[in-house]
Amino acid sequence: MMHVDIPLRRRPAFCVPKGPSFQWAKTIKTDIAGTKIEFRAPKHSPTKRLKGKPLLPDKYYIPNTMSFTSNFSPEFTVADLWEYVPLFKHCWGFYGPWFTGNLANLEMYFNIIQPKESARTPKKNTSFFHPRVFEQVVGDYLTNKYSIHQDDGQAEWMAPINWQPLTSLPTVAVRLQVHQDERITTSGYREHIFFPISDHQMGVISFMSWQKISAGKSQKEIDAEISPENITSLKDSIVDSLKVELSPEATAAQIQALEGLDDTSLIKTFAPMQWSTNKSSEHSEPLKSLG
């Protein structure tokens, strides 16, 4: 296959663009205060439009020395509640048949996030290892990040969609999607994986993908022309390769957080939260305290 960014001939009515092979994916490893995290991902291979340097994590992060940055922006977040450390960023182009060019792209980010000190609560039992706290905090994070986007009081994003608890990790974890409401705005979606690494820190893997096609079409119509099959396969392979080994300190914190709980699993379903604020729809849920 000739991988060229610029199309030299028209693509067929339906095609399945090809991207990097997971067979040659490298293992990415990092150690955060003794908690070991690893996953596999292909080499950074962006298109010219997405050109930029990849980001790889350090091998070791010493406790209390990680430099967290606020993720607050008045245009994109509700309140200044969260801060993060970026650890990983890769982009991949997906290409159609001979000389049809770049037809889809996938970006992956891996960050460590924590509530800003001013947003933390002094209450007991606020460990992210606690399944009910974890569910609450994931909902709070999504609300802070996505509910601000409104069109005449109608929320442009819906979340969580396809809530999938991950049972392969030694702690609570979930994979979910955030969809743009096609009744309000253009098609599009993102995917996030959340898992705690300490009482008040979480790892967040985020995927953003899109297919190059005319605006105004539904995601179903887009997929019927440019298949997301290989994009989905790559995301699945990366998530399936994720491994977490908690440090002794994190393990002790988890044991304490789960003490006395008969059911330590996450809820099986999590309905999309109501974020619209106009009078003709349900009012959005208030942003709850973290933890």
Side-chain angles (χ1 to χ4, degrees):
M1 175 178 296
M2 181 66 69
H3 284 178
V4 292
D5 284 348
I6 301 174
L8 301 178
R9 69 184 183 96
R10 299 183 67 179
R11 63 172 174 82
F14 174 77
C15 63
V16 184
K18 293 184 178 181
S21 171
F22 191 75
Q23 180 180 356
W24 309 112
K26 295 183 177 181
T27 300
I28 312 298
K29 296 183 179 181
T30 189
D31 182 308
I32 302 174
T35 289
K36 297 177 175 61
I37 302 172
E38 71 172 70
F39 56 89
R40 296 180 63 208
K43 181 180 178 181
H44 180 66
S45 56
T47 65
K48 290 182 179 179
R49 193 175 71 84
L50 290 176
K51 62 182 179 180
K53 293 182 179 180
L55 176 64
L56 292 170
D58 294 342
K59 290 185 178 180
Y60 301 98
Y61 292 91
I62 302 172
N64 302 319
T65 62
M66 298 178 73
S67 181
F68 282 84
T69 302
S70 172
N71 74 344
F72 176 67
S73 169
E75 294 181 357
F76 298 105
T77 45
V78 174
D80 190 10
L81 298 179
W82 290 92
E83 54 190 10
Y84 74 104
V85 175
L87 300 186
F88 178 89
K89 175 189 175 183
H90 271 31
C91 304
W92 301 285
F94 288 75
Y95 301 84
W98 285 89
F99 298 109
T100 56
N102 170 237
L103 298 181
N105 297 292
L106 174 64
E107 297 180 46
M108 174 183 169
Y109 301 86
F110 175 37
N111 300 327
I112 300 299
I113 66 170
Q114 66 179 19
K116 296 193 71 174
E117 188 171 356
S118 60
R120 299 175 195 170
T121 64
K123 302 176 186 177
K124 295 182 179 180
N125 302 323
T126 60
S127 171
F128 291 179
F129 290 118
H130 192 293
R132 304 293 82 79
V133 173
F134 177 78
E135 293 158 358
Q136 176 72 65
V137 169
V138 169
D140 287 346
Y141 180 81
L142 294 172
T143 298
N144 193 48
K145 185 175 179 66
Y146 291 103
S147 68
I148 194 171
H149 302 285
Q150 305 263 336
D151 183 352
D152 196 24
Q154 292 279 0
E156 295 182 0
W157 291 92
M158 301 181 295
I161 305 294
N162 296 329
W163 171 274
Q164 300 175 45
L166 301 178
T167 58
S168 59
L169 300 184
T171 182
V172 288
V174 70
R175 181 178 183 178
L176 58 87
Q177 294 176 346
V178 183
H179 288 201
Q180 288 186 293
D181 190 338
E182 295 177 351
R183 299 168 300 178
I184 309 300
T185 185
T186 56
S187 301
Y189 69 95
R190 299 174 182 176
E191 195 158 355
H192 300 294
I193 293 88
F194 295 89
F195 57 92
I197 62 170
S198 72
D199 279 330
H200 298 106
Q201 291 181 336
M202 288 197 298
V204 183
I205 294 175
S206 301
F207 294 105
M208 292 190 291
S209 62
W210 62 93
Q211 298 112 297
K212 289 189 173 182
I213 205 163
S214 301
K217 295 188 177 182
S218 68
Q219 191 63 49
K220 184 176 181 179
E221 292 171 327
I222 293 172
D223 293 347
E225 295 187 35
I226 299 178
S227 171
E229 176 183 338
N230 288 328
I231 297 173
T232 300
S233 177
L234 179 54
K235 290 190 292 186
D236 289 346
S237 295
I238 293 172
V239 174
D240 289 344
S241 73
L242 177 64
K243 297 178 182 178
V244 177
E245 181 183 332
L246 295 177
S247 69
E249 293 77 13
T251 299
Q254 179 175 245
I255 292 172
Q256 183 176 3
L258 299 179
E259 186 176 358
L261 283 182
D262 294 327
D263 184 2
T264 60
S265 62
L266 295 178
I267 54 176
K268 301 298 185 291
T269 59
F270 192 144
M273 292 175 283
Q274 297 296 325
W275 290 333
S276 294
T277 58
N278 65 10
K279 295 181 180 180
S280 62
S281 62
E282 296 185 44
H283 289 282
S284 63
E285 295 183 351
L287 196 62
K288 302 169 184 174
S289 62
L290 294 169

